Amino acid sequence: MFLGEPPPTQADLHFRLFGIPVRVHPFFWVVALLLGMGGRKADPLITLIWVVVVFVSIVVHELGHAFVQRYYGGRPWITLYSFGGLASCDDCDRSPRAQILISLAGPFAGFFFAGFVVSLLVALQRFEGFELDWIPVVWTPFESPPLEIGLRILMFVNIAWGALNLLPIYPLDGGRIARELFTLGNPRAGIIQSLQLSVGAAILVAVYALTRQLFFMCIMFGFLAYGSFQTLREYRNRWR
Ligand SMILES: [Zn+2]
């Protein structure tokens, strides 16, 4: 998910995974650290666990996109920065079917990752069941606090963030899927309809977050609603 690519910096970290180039912009670490420290009592160990788990989880998500991009003949690369990641590619298949599957592959890579960890919990006889919550998996808690906290963060990021990412809001994965589906149904007005849906859905999520006192989420979806609204206005002006 998320906007355009930031320009290269000297502090970029570069490596390859399964032949796919990955670049980590320094802001990725800055934002991950700030989010990791927020709300908790800035315990250094917990913050470190948070940063590592978020890093691994976002790489898994972007690899999901990149594998399907490669399946469709593209040459993908991954960029991690500020709020998340981006899987870009050259020669990518722009057909709606390919684009929808590429967008779905990110969140589902996270769901499979969480599913793999759940299967480990089952093997360890610690799995207790599912519930409707931000961390929808219940297990017998581990005595080791770092392990228990790392597991909670892993489930939260891979399941809850993945699910939020599927909401039909720009520039989340769900917003891209909605755009493809709407333009399939109506090539002329599809983009505008998907932007209208994006504004409405983002406002609903922001209001929901406010009622639950999830202020960071409220601000974030408020920004997304505003961004979609601006894009919608630009489209309308262009078509007039
Ligand atoms: Zn994504």
Side-chain angles (χ1 to χ4, degrees):
M1 66 172 196
F2 271 86
L3 315 174
E5 266 185 90
T9 77
Q10 297 216 319
D12 284 356
L13 171 72
H14 291 272
F15 59 94
R16 269 173 183 270
L17 272 178
F18 306 101
I20 296 164
V22 181
R23 170 163 82 98
V24 189
H25 188 274
F27 274 6
F28 176 81
W29 306 111
V30 175
V31 174
L33 266 176
L34 288 176
L35 285 177
M37 291 190 295
R40 299 177 194 84
K41 281 170 277 170
D43 180 309
L45 180 61
I46 294 178
T47 305
L48 177 70
I49 294 170
W50 161 272
V51 171
V52 171
V53 174
V54 165
F55 173 73
V56 171
S57 303
I58 294 182
V59 167
V60 166
H61 177 107
E62 299 306 331
L63 275 177
H65 291 310
F67 282 154
V68 182
Q69 284 169 333
R70 192 159 64 180
Y71 172 81
Y72 279 108
R75 281 179 291 122
W77 69 93
I78 291 171
T79 313
L80 301 194
Y81 71 109
S82 55
F83 274 117
L86 191 71
S88 325
C89 77
D90 280 336
D91 312 325
C92 237
D93 188 338
R94 299 283 160 207
S95 71
R97 180 190 164 86
Q99 286 298 313
I100 289 169
L101 289 176
I102 288 167
S103 296
L104 282 173
F108 275 87
F111 299 153
F112 283 126
F113 184 31
F116 171 70
V117 177
V118 168
S119 71
L120 292 181
L121 290 171
V122 171
L124 293 169
Q125 297 186 320
R126 293 210 168 239
F127 176 72
E128 291 183 7
F130 295 104
E131 63 177 4
L132 197 61
D133 203 347
W134 290 108
I135 299 173
V137 183
V138 188
W139 62 88
T140 316
F142 287 87
E143 282 84 62
S144 152
L147 180 60
E148 177 66 17
I149 290 164
L151 207 49
R152 293 186 71 80
I153 297 170
L154 189 147
M155 293 294 184
F156 172 72
V157 171
N158 283 282
I159 301 174
W161 282 10
L164 283 178
N165 232 318
L166 287 174
L167 292 171
I169 296 168
Y170 283 98
L172 304 180
D173 292 321
R176 294 165 192 265
I177 295 168
R179 179 183 58 201
E180 297 298 334
L181 290 176
F182 275 95
T183 43
L184 270 180
N186 187 337
R188 268 182 66 81
I191 289 187
I192 286 183
Q193 289 168 344
S194 68
L195 281 165
Q196 288 167 333
L197 175 66
S198 179
V199 174
I203 290 174
L204 278 180
V205 176
V207 170
Y208 165 82
L210 191 62
T211 62
R212 293 296 176 101
Q213 303 194 323
L214 301 166
F215 296 118
F216 175 75
M217 189 175 162
C218 176
I219 291 168
M220 180 163 165
F221 280 87
F223 268 116
L224 294 184
Y226 181 72
S228 290
F229 180 70
Q230 286 288 2
T231 314
L232 184 58
R233 273 217 315 217
E234 281 165 28
Y235 264 97
R236 280 194 173 138
N237 288 340
R238 208 179 298 163
W239 283 37
R240 223 163 251 161

